[in-house]
Every structure is written in C-alpha cells, then in structure tokens.
Amino acid sequence: MKQLLWALLVALFLPIVFTPASVEAGEPIPSHFRISNSPYVITMDGKELYHVGTGERIPLSKELDLHWSYQKNAVMSVDGQHLVFTSGCTDCSTTRYIIDLNGQVTSKSVPDTYRIVGADVAHDRLLWATWTTVMMTNLQGDIMWERSDLGTAVTLSTDGQTVIAARHDLSDIAHVNVATGKTESIQSFDVKVQVRDKEALAFDGVIAYPYQGYVYLEASRRLLALPEWYGIQYAEEDGFLHWYSKGVYGVLNITSGEVETHSPIVYPKLYPGTLAFSDRTVPLSSYKQMPTQLELQVDKRANAEGDPFLYVGRPYPLSVVSMNLDGVTETIPFERLTANKSNEVSSPQVFSYVTDANYNLTYMGKTFSGTLFSYNVGKVSIRKFGLAGEIVGQTAPGARMTVRVHGGEGEPLQYSTTATATGEFRVGTERLTSGTTFTVTSLANGSAVYRQPFTVPVPNPEANTIEVIGDSVESGVVFKTVPNGKIDVFVKEQFHSWYDTLQADASGIARVTGTVDPLAKGVTVTYAPAGTEGVEKELVVFERTEPTFAFQVTPNAGDTTLSYSSTAKLITYKTYVNEVFVGDGRTITLPKALQDGDVIRVVAKTGDRSKTLEHRVAAVGPTILQVTDVAMTATHTVVSVRRDTRAVLQFFINGKLTTATPVSSTRFTVPAKPGDIVLVRLTRGGQKLDTRLALPQVTFSNIRLHDEQKTWVGMVLPNSRVTLQNGTKQVTSGKSSSTGRVVMSLAPQSLNAKITLISTRGVYRFVQTVNVKAGLTPIMKVAAPTSTMRTLTVNSNVDYGTVTVHRGTTLIATKTVTSKSTPVAIAAQKSGTRLTIKFTTPKGRTQTVYVTVR
C-alpha cells in the first residue's frame, strides 16, 4: 500500500518538476446530455453514446427521447459496463433505459417520481429515490426493499455491496445492506452545511455531495469539506478526485485526504479522464498545463534588433505564451489556437498594406483579443551630422522624430521634432564630435522607421570640388569626385524631397539616378562633400521621359486586388474600373470582384508627365481540382481537396447540391453515406471542373476490443488493406473481402491500450480508435445433474477460459472452454452431493456456482 500511495503522489506532482509534454488535444464534445460519473455522454439527438476521451461513438439500438423540457437523470453501473438513464416530465410517464456499452438499449416505464441514484446491473439491482423514500428494485421494477428514514442523498458504494445514505445536513451517514435494506452502521459528524437540493455522486472510493460541498472517503470513512464548492464539477482518475468551482481547480488524494488547489484562467468541464473546453478536450492528467496567463507573442526577428514596429511585407510568426499551473512557461504554436469569426491574423502574419488587424483567438476555452498595427518601411537620411550643433535630414512628411545621442556619461540625450510637409527635419544639438553615435526614430501616418545608430563622420576640410558630368533626364545626375569619396545630396521636387549620401566608385563616379531615378524636369539637387557645411552647390534637372509600368499579374474575372510594377520611383497611380475611380497606389483592394468585360484604366504620373494603360477583363475557368483523401464514416464523409481557391467549390450527393462544413481550408465534411455518389465541382467564369467519387457500399462496424480477445471480425472498406495499431506499433493486418468483411487474429492487448483501426483503399479511408476494455466477468448457468448423469453442461457468456469441478476439496474434472456451451465429463455422483463449479478466464476473472446432485 505504501508503494501504491508513493506512485500516486509521484504521478500527481511530476508535472511540477519536469517540463510537460504538449497537451494531446481532441475534438470538442458534441451537444450532449452529461452523465456525471461516466466518461460517456448521450448525444442530444438521443442516437449515440460518445466517449469524451477517445471520441468513440456507439450507436444506440433505440433512440432516446431527450426533449429539452423533460427531467433527465443518469448514473453509470458499478460494473462500469452499463448506463441507467431516465427521461420524463411531471405528471407524465417516465422511461427507464438500460444501455450497455455495445449500444443495446432496453426500456421500461417507471413512476414519474422515481429518480435513479445507483445501479448494479450485473447483480440485477437498481437504487431509486423519491422526495421521501429510498428503494431497491430489480431490473424488472420489483421492489426488494424500501425505507423512508434515510434521507435521499444516497448512492451505491464502489463495490456495490452497500448503500451510503446521508441526511440533508450530512450530520449522519448510514451504511445500509444492499440486499436487505437494513442499517449496518451509522456515523455522526459535527458539520454545519446549508440544506440544499439532495444529491450524491459515486466515484471510485469517494462519494461527493455537490450541493453541500463535502466529500466522503469510503475507505477511511472521513467527511471532508472542500474550499470552494458553488456550481461544482467532479471527475475521478487514478486515485485522485478532481473538482472545479468558481475559478478554483482542486485535486483530492482519495487515500490521504490531502487537497491542493489552483486558480486557472480557463473554465474546464470535468469528465473521467478528460478536461473539456469549447475548442478541444485534453487528458485530465494534463490539468497542470491549464494556463494562468496567456499572451500573444509576435516574433520580430525580421526587424533590426530593438525595432518594435510591424512592417508591411515582412513575415511575423505568431504564437501564444502560456504561464501554466505547474509554473512552466510554454509556447503554444499558432496552429493549436482556434480562430474566432472576427479573427484577422494568421501565422506568419504578413501585412500587404498599412492597416490594423484584430486577433480574436481561443485556447482551452479562453478567448483573448487585441489589435496589431502595421506600418510602411520609410527612410531616414542624414545630410548634416551635428558637427556644427545641428542634425538635418529627410524622412516621411510630417513624421514625429526622436533623436537619441549616445556617448559620454549618464543617460543619452534625447531631442524631438516634427518633419515638414516635404519631410525635412532639423534638430538643434550640442556640437558633436567625430565618432559620436545617435539613433533616429521616425513615426508618421502609415510610415514608421527605426534605424540603427548613425555615426558622426570625420569632417572633410576640403572645398566643394565635385564636378557635375550629367544633369539631364537622359544622362541622369552624375558626379565626379575623389576615388571612393562620399557626396551628401539633397533632392527637392515640387511634392517630394530627400537627403542621401552617395558612395563614389574607384574612379570617383557617383550617380543620383541609381538611388532616386526617375528625376523630373525642374528637380533641384544640392550637393557637397560628405561631412562639410557651407560649401553646398545646386543644379536643376531638365527634361524627363514618361513613366513605364505594367500589371504585376494580368487581371482576370474574380480578382479583388490590382498591383503594378515599375523600375521608376516617385510614380503615382490612379485606377478606374468602367470609368469609376477605385483607388490610388501601387497596390489597391477593389470594392468588388472583377467581372468578365470590365475595363480597367490606370493613369500613372511622375512629375508633369503621365501614361495611361487600359485592359479588358476576361473570364478564366478553374485550373486544378484533385481529391487527395476521402475519410468515411457511417453517417458522413470528410473530403480533402487540392483546388483553385479562386473558384467556387460545390458538393453534390446523388445529384443533389448539399451544404459542406469546412474543417480547414482543404478539408470539408459532407453528409454522404457509404454507397452515395459524391460529385466535387469547381465553378469560375461560367466554366466548371468535376471529380466524381463513388463511395463504397458497406455497413461499417463499431470496433470493440477487450484484453482477452484473440480475433476481431468486422465490416470495413471492401477490398481494402486493414491494420490494427497500438500507437505506432502494428498489432495485426489483413485484407477485407469484396463485401468489406475482415477477420483478423491478434494477440490480446493490454487493458486501456488505445487501438486504431485503419482501412485504406486508394484515396478512401475508414479510421476508428478505441480503448481496450476489460474482458467480461464470466456468468454461467449449470443445471443440477442427477445421480446417473456423467456429463455436466456449463453455459456461459464467454467462450474462453477453464472450468473446474470440485467435490469439497477434491478436483473431479477440468475442461478448457472453447464455446459458450461446454460439456464437462464427470463420474456419477451420489444424490445430495454438493459440487463447486468454478469458471476462470486467462486474466483471472472468475465466477463460482454450487449445484446439488438430484
């Protein structure tokens, strides 16, 4: 016992010591009716059981009536193999359903005042409570015993042998014999609780009283109060009772009674083995990976170090940093987040133009939102570096400027100003010495610039001896200076101006056109050796050629954006569609998609010259449609397609247009069943592209495996390759027949192992995952033999194991079981002899019956 307790404690606290693995996330739970002490729920259509941990769906042989106004109540049988469920309304008949985990349903009417509180189907017992009475019945509804003095917060013990009954205020808890209804013992507790609705929930070794905020430990018979209990939920796993209430998550060690509490920022729903959120389910064992803080993180490695802005055209990967309950800081990949309808970001986030993007994301049911802002990458050039006590430069018009001068002792000196309408800025400083560094930050509407530090150069004492050898539109502006010399230039046009420093080549040639081409007629260029002041000269550019440009991509019907390319700079664009102005700029977003026959007219200008380009839009049909995967189930099909995303995607089932539900940008769920004909169609510009899928006709099996099973027979895709896998390890494989039937032999798998059935044929797939259940407990019936009989017939519910027959302590027969009816040869016995017949499975599950020879 000490070793077991130590193992449980290690399992509980291990996430605190080690960095946890990623949470294994599952699909969100469908709309359902909840069964508090069971890993199964009933889907709201009343047609299926759904396992919240594995996603296993078990079709029910009979549809349950789950009308929203009906009173509903359910418990799981202590054998873990049956659900007992009641549904009905006041003053009308109530129906009791017994559901086994093969999906078989039996039903019977019961009085509308009955509320099911405990079940032991294997031993033909059901425990009921009304507002005044507790009663035990058999499965047929016959009352075995009833009492009105126990209170109605009652339930069965873990082994099903005791009724545990508590009064309203939990002052007394009685242990009642399950077969006779007689009280065996009563415990009294000095507790003070508010009397609320009466309810008790039975888990493995612990009874919970949700409306009183107490739990009762069966083994030690202790009653414990929980720190928070309003609106409480429970789930039990591996000797620990998990609970959640009002933002407090608690874990109770059932053996020691110790309680630990946490405060996550998410709001889980608890099921045995599983935490459920609106966007996913995760294992209950991963509860310490619930976050206490979530923050969107933007990877800005595309920027220079220290640059805080987001720029148009650069990729910025997104992720979320989660501070978890276990103290570990975990980076959540963007792909594990659920984007809500108003979300506008993806990873990596790339802005195509200056805008803001709202993020609205959900992780473990927690929604967090905010806004990312983007800026164009502008330029900052410096003409004067502060040698004379002034920094002069060029940036975006009207930009807000900050200059931080580094060097010397103490904090850097900071200066601020605003650029003029032409982008010129001037900052008065102290005289700066050569080698001093300063950093310039420029922020304007739609344009942000952050530059690494500039360095004040060594001043050039020489006069302005720069020679101009080209100053026209045809030749460009070309200077001749000393070899590898530097030239400061200030270029000013009617609406634009900028500073730049040119680097001459080894022959002393420096060209303005290489940086700011084209130059319009009338542009002035002021130039001087870099680092000098007071020796500037000026020239005026004459003549100019018209701008040249083209569409980056030929516009077609359905397009919603237009982009232009040009080697020219300082070019402006105005775009018209059917003579209606739709925007200006190199890239524009159209108010509506282009249609066949639309006429686009673009007018480009540089200075006083312009050029017009016209284009008539033509319709283009879809270009590609390829079905890459068809995942089938009995009720629906998920189709994966590679396609032309500019075309409209449609699905037809047996010739009828149907609505498809997107799973992702490439996967779509359609209500197609085996045997249906699915037509996948793309339409664009009046043209279409089709792919036809003839779904195989088959009735899929619902796989179930237990830990003593050696053969599985089922229905999968016809003529398909079939495998059973335990994780990445293949258990067995085979091939199905033309009807889909497959028989596979396998070694018995361990209890709770996760086994995946995979059936593939071409692009068609059928996949199902199931947890290995415990083998059946043998139940046998043996007719008493006569004194002349030499054969004893054992009828059982399993067809494997061993039968032994004893007379007292003497073994008189042993037989290996290979069918559900087993003849056992014995010697004739005297009348009145008492025989002991024991049935044992390979896993040690047994049943013993006694018969007396007639």
Side-chain angles (χ1 to χ4, degrees):
M1 177 59 73
K2 290 183 178 179
Q3 292 177 338
L4 175 60
L5 179 58
W6 174 248
L8 291 173
L9 291 173
V10 169
L12 176 65
F13 295 109
L14 191 60
I16 300 177
V17 180
F18 299 102
T19 301
S22 297
V23 175
E24 182 183 350
E27 297 292 332
I29 301 177
S31 178
H32 63 275
F33 174 75
R34 178 174 184 164
I35 305 165
S36 297
N37 60 346
S38 169
Y40 289 91
V41 299
I42 304 174
T43 57
M44 285 307 295
D45 59 9
K47 296 180 179 179
E48 291 181 319
L49 293 181
Y50 178 87
H51 194 291
V52 298
T54 66
E56 174 192 22
R57 291 178 180 267
I58 303 176
L60 299 180
S61 63
K62 179 183 295 185
E63 183 174 331
L64 307 185
D65 188 356
L66 298 182
H67 192 275
W68 65 270
S69 65
Y70 282 10
Q71 298 172 355
K72 294 174 279 289
N73 189 220
V75 296
M76 178 163 250
S77 177
V78 293
D79 65 2
Q81 297 297 314
H82 300 84
L83 301 176
V84 182
F85 174 75
T86 61
S87 176
C89 58
T90 304
D91 299 327
C92 68
S93 63
T94 294
T95 302
R96 180 216 69 193
Y97 302 95
I98 296 180
I99 310 167
D100 69 27
L101 298 189
N102 288 318
Q104 293 300 311
V105 179
T106 59
S107 61
K108 184 178 180 63
S109 294
V110 298
D112 61 359
T113 57
Y114 278 30
R115 179 169 60 94
I116 187 72
V117 293
D120 187 357
V121 176
H123 293 90
D124 194 22
R125 297 187 187 116
L126 298 178
L127 183 63
W128 303 86
T130 69
W131 290 109
T132 59
T133 306
V134 176
M135 68 193 71
M136 184 74 70
T137 74
N138 59 21
L139 301 186
Q140 297 303 315
D142 301 326
I143 296 177
M144 301 166 61
W145 57 265
E146 63 180 314
R147 291 179 59 173
S148 58
D149 60 337
L150 294 177
T152 55
V154 295
T155 187
L156 286 176
S157 62
T158 300
D159 59 7
Q161 299 303 305
T162 305
V163 174
I164 299 178
R167 297 191 182 279
H168 289 213
D169 55 6
L170 303 183
S171 59
D172 291 331
I173 295 182
H175 290 68
V176 178
N177 186 284
V178 72
T180 65
K182 294 182 178 180
T183 299
E184 296 180 339
S185 64
I186 296 178
Q187 282 184 273
S188 297
F189 298 95
D190 183 14
V191 297
K192 295 181 180 180
V193 298
Q194 180 181 0
V195 177
R196 299 176 63 89
D197 293 340
K198 301 175 285 295
E199 183 176 355
L201 297 177
F203 296 93
D204 190 4
V206 64
I207 310 299
Y209 300 95
Y211 295 104
Q212 280 79 11
Y214 279 79
V215 293
Y216 180 71
L217 306 182
E218 286 189 59
S220 60
R221 296 197 173 190
R222 295 169 60 193
L223 187 66
L224 303 177
L226 300 181
E228 291 285 350
W229 54 271
Y230 180 79
I232 197 165
Q233 302 175 55
Y234 297 94
E236 185 277 334
E237 182 179 57
D238 296 334
F240 292 89
L241 182 71
H242 295 243
W243 50 272
Y244 178 77
S245 171
K246 292 180 62 177
V248 175
Y249 190 97
V251 180
L252 166 66
N253 186 319
I254 296 174
T255 302
S256 67
E258 295 178 355
V259 174
E260 64 171 82
T261 58
H262 305 277
S263 299
I265 60 172
V266 295
Y267 312 103
K269 292 183 178 179
L270 277 64
Y271 299 85
T274 304
L275 290 174
F277 304 93
S278 61
D279 57 328
R280 70 188 62 210
T281 60
V282 300
L284 188 65
S285 59
S286 301
Y287 74 95
K288 286 196 175 180
Q289 293 187 25
M290 287 191 293
T292 59
Q293 182 178 346
L294 290 174
E295 181 180 351
L296 185 70
Q297 180 171 280
V298 182
D299 186 343
K300 297 179 181 178
R301 283 180 290 181
N303 293 354
E305 183 178 356
D307 190 341
F309 300 103
L310 305 181
Y311 295 103
V312 173
R314 296 182 185 177
Y316 295 98
L318 304 180
S319 59
V320 167
V321 174
S322 171
M323 177 65 76
N324 297 340
L325 289 183
D326 55 10
V328 173
T329 299
E330 181 181 9
T331 298
I332 310 300
F334 191 83
E335 293 72 20
R336 282 172 53 189
L337 306 173
T338 299
N340 301 314
K341 288 185 177 180
S342 59
N343 181 67
E344 298 172 343
V345 301
S346 58
S347 182
Q349 175 65 22
V350 179
F351 293 95
S352 57
Y353 54 91
V354 174
T355 186
D356 56 315
N358 297 314
Y359 59 89
N360 191 306
L361 305 165
T362 297
Y363 177 69
M364 285 195 182
K366 177 67 175 180
T367 297
F368 53 100
S369 58
T371 304
L372 302 179
F373 299 93
S374 67
Y375 302 88
N376 282 324
V377 178
K379 291 183 178 179
V380 171
S381 59
I382 303 298
R383 181 164 64 95
K384 292 188 176 182
F385 288 84
L387 290 167
E390 183 181 45
I391 298 175
V392 180
Q394 188 74 19
T395 186
R400 297 185 299 277
M401 305 298 301
T402 301
V403 177
R404 290 172 62 87
V405 179
H406 310 276
E409 298 179 356
E411 293 293 323
L413 298 176
Q414 181 166 306
Y415 306 92
S416 299
T417 188
T418 301
T420 66
T422 62
E424 181 183 14
F425 68 90
R426 294 175 176 270
V427 176
T429 68
E430 298 181 359
R431 288 183 176 272
L432 303 180
T433 60
S434 299
T436 301
T437 61
F438 58 91
T439 303
V440 180
T441 301
S442 168
L443 181 62
N445 292 332
S447 179
V449 179
Y450 181 91
R451 295 291 294 270
Q452 290 297 323
F454 293 93
T455 301
V456 178
V458 177
N460 186 350
E462 298 179 2
N464 190 345
T465 59
I466 300 170
E467 179 184 358
V468 177
I469 58 177
D471 60 355
S472 68
V473 171
E474 290 77 14
S475 64
V477 176
V478 184
F479 298 111
K480 172 79 173 173
T481 186
V482 298
N484 301 311
K486 292 185 177 181
I487 303 173
D488 287 341
V489 296
F490 172 51
V491 182
K492 186 173 183 179
E493 201 179 72
Q494 181 179 2
F495 302 106
H496 305 278
S497 60
W498 64 90
Y499 292 97
D500 204 356
T501 298
L502 307 179
Q503 173 71 61
D505 59 21
S507 61
I509 300 299
R511 299 178 180 273
V512 176
T513 54
T515 304
V516 294
D517 181 49
L519 295 175
K521 180 181 178 180
V523 170
T524 61
V525 179
T526 303
Y527 59 96
T532 60
E533 297 181 9
V535 294
E536 297 87 353
K537 293 183 180 180
E538 183 180 280
L539 64 85
V540 178
V541 177
F542 64 94
E543 203 51 66
R544 184 173 182 132
T545 60
E546 68 179 13
T548 58
F549 70 100
F551 291 107
Q552 282 191 346
V553 178
T554 302
N556 290 313
D559 290 351
T560 57
T561 60
L562 295 174
S563 296
Y564 313 111
S565 60
S566 174
T567 58
K569 294 180 174 60
L570 301 179
I571 185 170
T572 63
Y573 303 88
K574 289 188 179 297
T575 303
Y576 303 81
V577 176
N578 301 328
E579 296 304 321
V580 176
F581 176 71
V582 294
D584 52 20
R586 186 180 292 269
T587 299
I588 62 172
T589 300
L590 300 174
K592 65 178 182 178
L594 295 173
Q595 299 180 5
D596 185 22
D598 284 347
V599 176
I600 302 170
R601 182 167 62 89
V602 186
V603 179
K605 287 187 175 182
T606 54
D608 57 356
R609 303 295 297 273
S610 66
K611 183 178 181 179
T612 300
L613 176 65
E614 289 193 357
H615 174 78
R616 182 176 292 275
V617 176
V620 176
T623 58
I624 183 171
L625 174 60
Q626 179 183 2
V627 175
T628 59
D629 183 72
V630 181
M632 295 176 59
T633 71
T635 59
H636 63 276
T637 300
V638 179
V639 181
S640 299
V641 295
R642 179 173 171 262
R643 62 189 173 100
D644 181 352
T645 57
R646 295 173 295 181
V648 177
L649 178 64
Q650 295 176 314
F651 291 87
F652 296 81
I653 299 178
N654 300 327
K656 184 177 180 180
L657 179 64
T658 189
T659 300
T661 302
V663 179
S664 67
S665 61
T666 59
R667 299 173 64 226
F668 301 86
T669 299
V670 294
K673 302 181 293 297
D676 288 344
I677 302 298
V678 179
L679 182 70
V680 186
R681 171 171 291 173
L682 285 183
T683 59
R684 182 185 178 202
Q687 302 179 40
K688 64 183 180 181
L689 188 60
D690 292 342
T691 292
R692 182 177 180 272
L693 303 172
L695 302 185
Q697 178 66 55
V698 64
T699 300
F700 289 123
S701 292
N702 189 22
I703 182 173
R704 293 184 58 79
L705 293 174
H706 60 75
D707 60 356
E708 295 177 320
Q709 191 165 343
K710 296 182 178 180
T711 303
W712 184 77
V713 181
M715 297 295 292
V716 293
L717 291 174
N719 298 316
S720 65
R721 171 174 168 77
V722 186
T723 62
L724 290 177
Q725 292 187 188
N726 187 339
T728 59
K729 181 181 179 181
Q730 180 172 298
V731 175
T732 186
S733 65
K735 185 174 182 180
S736 63
S737 68
S738 60
T739 64
R741 186 174 186 271
V742 65
V743 179
M744 291 191 290
S745 298
L746 67 154
Q749 300 298 299
S750 60
L751 183 64
N752 294 326
K754 182 178 289 185
I755 305 298
T756 301
L757 167 73
I758 304 174
S759 168
T760 57
R761 191 188 78 187
V763 297
Y764 296 99
R765 286 190 306 118
F766 172 62
V767 179
Q768 191 176 62
T769 300
V770 66
N771 283 0
V772 175
K773 306 294 185 182
L776 297 176
T777 299
I779 300 175
M780 59 178 169
K781 294 182 179 179
V782 183
T786 65
S787 60
T788 61
M789 292 177 62
R790 296 179 178 274
T791 301
L792 195 67
T793 301
V794 177
N795 296 310
S796 65
N797 62 332
V798 296
D799 56 2
Y800 49 86
T802 303
V803 171
T804 59
V805 181
H806 285 78
R807 182 181 61 247
T809 59
T810 303
L811 175 66
I812 63 173
T814 300
K815 184 67 176 288
T816 299
V817 176
T818 59
S819 68
K820 292 186 178 180
S821 179
T822 304
V824 182
I826 62 173
Q829 304 294 314
K830 293 180 179 181
S831 178
T833 300
R834 190 168 187 257
L835 300 180
T836 302
I837 299 96
K838 184 174 183 180
F839 194 119
T840 306
T841 71
K843 292 291 185 179
R845 300 180 178 95
T846 66
Q847 188 196 21
T848 302
V849 299
Y850 305 92
V851 297
T852 303
V853 178
R854 292 181 282 119

